[in-house]
Amino acid sequence: MNWRRLWALCRKESFQIVRDPSSILIAFILPVALLFILGYAVNLDSAHIRLGLLNQDGGAVAQSLAATFHATPSFEVKPVKSRAELDEMLAHGKIRGAVIIANDFSRNWQRRSGTIQLLTDGAEPNTANFVAAYAQGTWLQWQQAEADEHGQAPPPAIKVEQRVWFNPSAESPNFLVPGTIAIVMTIVGALLSSLVVAREWERGTMEALLSTPVSRAELLLSKILPYYVLGIAAMLLCLLVAVFVMQVPFRGPLWLLWLMSSLFLANALGMGLFLSTVMRTQFDAAQAALTAGYLPALMLSGFVFEISSMPLPLQWLTRILPARYFASTLQTLFQAGVIPSLLWFNAASLIALGAFWLGQTVRKTRRTLD
């Protein structure tokens, strides 16, 4: 290893990065854009659900129940005048659920037998479950308030106090944004490094490099180190945007975030260099990097879809994806802080996978033109 020669090669690659607008675009503009798009567009919170309300009873009790539904912050209540109008709004997706208060509700409530009808749009099962749960909670809350007002209900024997760990506000961006950063870093690392060797072949400069005394290790390190620095800068940018712009709390130590990011970049850069070495054209290498990096990371990392809910073969497939371990690490550092057993397992997995990709890159890199 000639350190002077390595430094010269790294300077040459750094100048190439500065002179190439696409590298700056991929490293700094693309991460922020994807972070905002995925962080805000993908939202698992079901707030302000559109709910139709058909009140066929004009009694005071029915009016009180209707007012309770109107006051529920989870619902955006839309009063309707007829069942036909209600059915049409459900069929056209204008509402996600409907509550029907029958015309004999007040009379039956005096006999302690009042009921309401709840309809939900099953085309979106997740939202339908939210509608049913929120409507049932509103119904029980109103019953308790009515009983307390008339002095009919004894104090409950069991009082449930709910506490949400790790994400007290129960906001999905606090869970999704760290996973989004893992997806963004997969794209940045794999896409940037997938172009470097292929660019040398396309421009004919690889022949000039191979005619020099540059060793294989020096050649690979000169391609990895500048883009590693660029990847860490992109990670820092994502962290600043997530914490100060998107208001996602970060509870872990920065040195551990740097360490785990470095291990993940070893995987992303190794995979990108491997594809670049094999493909030898920038277009093919970029397409392969997006296909092998972005799509599996998005679908199988646990970023959106729970891994334990996937079929068993896919669960085993996720074990060879570095994004799975990095997304879990980021979600832990952002929401919980340090959980040693989980972080050690993720670090060991990233080291093993990184060694595989870097080893494949070394094996495929030869000082020959064939």
Side-chain angles (χ1 to χ4, degrees):
M1 179 72 68
N2 187 311
W3 297 105
R4 182 179 178 182
R5 195 160 51 223
L6 176 61
W7 170 250
L9 289 171
C10 288
R11 285 185 73 242
K12 170 255 182 190
E13 199 65 40
S14 301
F15 287 140
Q16 179 63 46
I17 293 174
V18 173
R19 293 167 182 168
D20 186 5
S22 63
S23 298
I24 304 300
L25 178 67
I26 294 173
F28 297 111
I29 306 301
L30 183 63
V32 175
L34 288 176
L35 201 58
F36 277 107
I37 292 173
L38 295 178
Y40 285 121
V42 180
N43 195 333
L44 303 182
D45 298 332
S46 292
H48 306 292
I49 300 174
R50 299 185 303 277
L51 180 75
L53 178 62
L54 175 59
N55 187 2
Q56 299 174 330
D57 188 336
V61 177
Q63 296 294 337
S64 173
L65 176 59
T68 302
F69 275 101
H70 278 281
T72 302
S74 301
F75 289 132
E76 182 183 335
V77 178
K78 298 181 179 295
V80 296
K81 298 179 180 179
S82 66
R83 179 61 184 265
E85 181 184 358
L86 192 69
D87 293 342
E88 182 181 359
M89 293 179 70
L90 266 175
H92 288 80
K94 296 179 180 179
I95 56 177
R96 291 303 176 189
V99 171
I100 301 175
I101 304 176
N103 52 17
D104 58 351
F105 174 78
S106 296
R107 182 172 62 254
N108 290 335
W109 178 253
Q110 301 299 328
R111 304 171 185 171
R112 314 303 298 171
S113 61
T115 59
I116 61 175
Q117 183 179 9
L118 173 66
L119 304 175
T120 59
D121 183 358
E124 296 185 13
N126 192 45
T127 304
N129 292 332
F130 277 117
V131 172
Y134 291 160
Q136 184 178 7
T138 303
W139 166 243
L140 294 176
Q141 179 184 0
W142 177 81
Q143 289 185 68
Q144 184 67 45
E146 283 290 307
D148 291 344
E149 182 179 351
H150 295 88
Q152 298 174 347
I158 299 176
K159 182 179 180 181
V160 178
E161 294 185 359
Q162 182 179 4
R163 181 182 177 187
V164 180
W165 280 21
F166 309 131
N167 186 9
S169 60
E171 296 178 359
S172 63
N174 293 346
F175 172 80
L176 293 174
V177 169
T180 301
I181 295 177
I183 306 302
V184 169
M185 293 304 297
T186 301
I187 299 175
V188 170
L191 190 56
L192 279 175
S193 58
S194 67
L195 302 176
V196 292
V197 176
R199 183 169 54 223
E200 300 281 5
W201 285 110
E202 283 189 351
R203 295 179 179 178
T205 54
M206 181 59 75
E207 289 85 349
L209 279 175
L210 295 180
S211 66
T212 67
V214 174
S215 66
R216 181 168 57 178
E218 292 167 356
L219 177 62
L220 291 178
L221 284 176
S222 68
K223 301 298 183 184
I224 291 176
L225 294 179
Y227 289 96
Y228 164 76
V229 174
L230 202 61
I232 291 296
M235 180 69 217
L236 179 60
L237 178 62
C238 290
L239 176 65
L240 294 176
V241 171
V243 173
F244 294 106
V245 178
M246 308 182 77
Q247 302 298 314
V248 178
F250 180 77
R251 299 184 173 92
L254 290 176
W255 69 267
L256 191 54
L257 176 65
W258 165 78
L259 177 61
M260 300 302 291
S261 299
S262 299
L263 294 179
F264 177 73
L265 282 174
N267 286 267
L269 295 175
M271 182 179 68
L273 276 178
F274 171 75
L275 295 174
S276 184
T277 303
V278 172
M279 299 293 180
R280 294 196 177 188
T281 62
Q282 293 186 77
F283 178 80
D284 292 341
Q287 292 298 313
L290 289 175
T291 304
Y294 171 66
L295 291 179
L298 181 65
M299 305 298 293
L300 302 177
S301 66
F303 155 60
V304 176
F305 308 107
E306 182 67 32
I307 293 178
S308 59
S309 301
M310 299 177 184
L312 191 59
L314 288 182
Q315 292 185 35
W316 281 97
L317 180 61
T318 63
R319 296 175 182 269
I320 63 173
L321 296 179
R324 167 186 174 167
Y325 306 104
F326 192 50
S328 173
T329 297
L330 289 180
Q331 289 164 348
T332 301
L333 292 177
F334 269 86
Q335 297 187 95
V338 178
I339 301 179
S341 58
L342 177 62
L343 294 178
W344 277 116
F345 175 76
N346 289 342
S349 301
L350 289 175
I351 290 173
L353 292 172
F356 168 79
W357 284 114
L358 292 175
Q360 290 299 311
T361 303
V362 172
R363 188 176 68 87
K364 286 293 184 180
T365 302
R366 294 185 174 90
R367 287 184 48 81
T368 59
L369 295 179
D370 54 353

